[in-house]
Amino acid sequence: DIVVTQSPDSLAVSLGERATINCKSSQSVLYSSNNKNYLGWYQQKPGQPPKLIIYWASTRESGVPDRFSGSGSGTDFSLTISSLQAEDVAVYYCQQYYTAPYFFGQGTKLEIK
Amino acid sequence: EVQLVESGGGLVQPGGSLRLACAASGFTFNQYWMHWVRQAPGKGLEWIARVNGDGYTTSYADSVKGRFTIARDNARNTVNLQMNSLRVEDTAVYYCVRPQTGAAYAFDIWGQGTMVTVSS
């Protein structure tokens, strides 16, 4: 099984500042035949289902603001919000979809400082 | 509009059974794998099951293997989750999820979820 672990568990950032969340997989999720990292990021606001914001580790989903970016390869990944807005308060999850079972990270709660 | 609508949640006693349904619309249903993901109250996301487009290939998380069964009806555009031998720890919101395409793709379409409570 490929387990993913996020850090930190919670994060408080001032409006307009940068927020970075890390995700580490227990094995590489880079598929050599297509050079894609099978890693996604989701945003979940209270009372709502999760929303996909980044896939292939660094591709923004349609409609997602460009202040959101994903980076990393192999086993180490990051989600960065370049300038935090009030509407970005949420819990963020990474997920590996390289192979079943498709583990999610434990979540990072992002708040305003 | 692409949409997934879950139903069938409710209160059930430990050891009991429940069948969840997910109605899909707005896309060619039989071309997509379908998944169920759950979230216990105040907790994170847990992937629990998947089924391929023709319904013949399934996978389960260890936590539900042997107790839950995922199946689909492509004529009705539905995917079901039969849950037997329910435990208190199965209490969660259950989401029906569609990946972007294929087996190994990110989950881009989520239903609103249906709540299952296992309690005596």
Side-chain angles (χ1 to χ4, degrees):
Chain A
D1 294 358
I2 300 178
V3 178
V4 292
T5 305
Q6 289 178 233
S7 63
D9 291 336
S10 63
L11 183 61
V13 174
S14 300
L15 289 172
E17 296 300 306
R18 177 185 299 262
T20 300
I21 300 168
N22 300 302
C23 177
K24 187 173 183 67
S25 59
S26 59
Q27 298 173 47
S28 176
V29 296
L30 174 63
Y31 191 39
S32 56
S33 67
N34 60 11
N35 201 36
K36 288 182 181 294
N37 286 282
Y38 285 58
L39 192 287
W41 289 95
Y42 301 82
Q43 175 193 67
Q44 187 178 32
K45 297 181 179 180
Q48 297 182 18
K51 173 188 173 185
L52 177 66
I53 55 173
I54 299 283
Y55 58 97
W56 302 134
S58 60
T59 301
R60 260 189 315 275
E61 177 74 324
S62 176
V64 173
D66 60 7
R67 63 180 180 272
F68 290 88
S69 64
S71 63
S73 184
T75 61
D76 292 280
F77 302 91
S78 295
L79 172 70
T80 298
I81 307 171
S82 60
S83 176
L84 188 70
Q85 304 300 303
E87 60 265 32
D88 302 334
V89 169
V91 179
Y92 292 83
Y93 297 91
C94 61
Q95 181 213 17
Q96 68 83 10
Y97 49 94
Y98 186 92
T99 184
Y102 299 117
F103 281 100
F104 291 86
Q106 76 276 22
T108 296
K109 186 174 184 178
L110 179 58
E111 300 174 311
I112 305 293
K113 186 187 292 184
Chain B
E1 179 192 6
V2 176
Q3 196 171 11
L4 300 172
V5 178
E6 304 95 336
S7 60
L11 174 64
V12 61
Q13 292 188 338
S17 297
L18 208 57
R19 184 168 175 264
L20 305 183
C22 170
S25 59
F27 62 99
T28 307
F29 184 66
N30 62 10
Q31 293 184 0
Y32 288 83
W33 287 70
M34 294 298 295
H35 301 248
W36 287 94
V37 173
R38 70 182 180 183
Q39 186 170 36
K43 303 297 185 182
L45 301 168
E46 180 187 16
W47 174 86
I48 57 172
R50 68 171 182 170
V51 61
N52 75 335
D54 63 17
Y56 287 103
T57 300
T58 59
S59 302
Y60 299 92
D62 286 347
S63 59
V64 306
K65 198 173 295 182
R67 301 187 299 123
F68 290 13
T69 302
I70 187 171
R72 65 193 297 158
D73 183 342
N74 286 341
R76 292 183 170 81
N77 286 1
T78 59
V79 56
N80 302 315
L81 187 68
Q82 177 66 43
M83 304 186 296
N84 299 331
S85 303
L86 281 161
R87 305 167 179 167
V88 171
E89 54 265 34
D90 294 318
T91 295
V93 174
Y94 284 73
Y95 293 104
C96 176
V97 184
R98 191 205 79 172
Q100 291 168 311
T101 188
Y105 283 81
F107 297 169
D108 67 338
I109 304 296
W110 296 66
Q112 287 298 310
T114 187
M115 182 70 203
V116 172
T117 303
V118 185
S119 174
S120 54

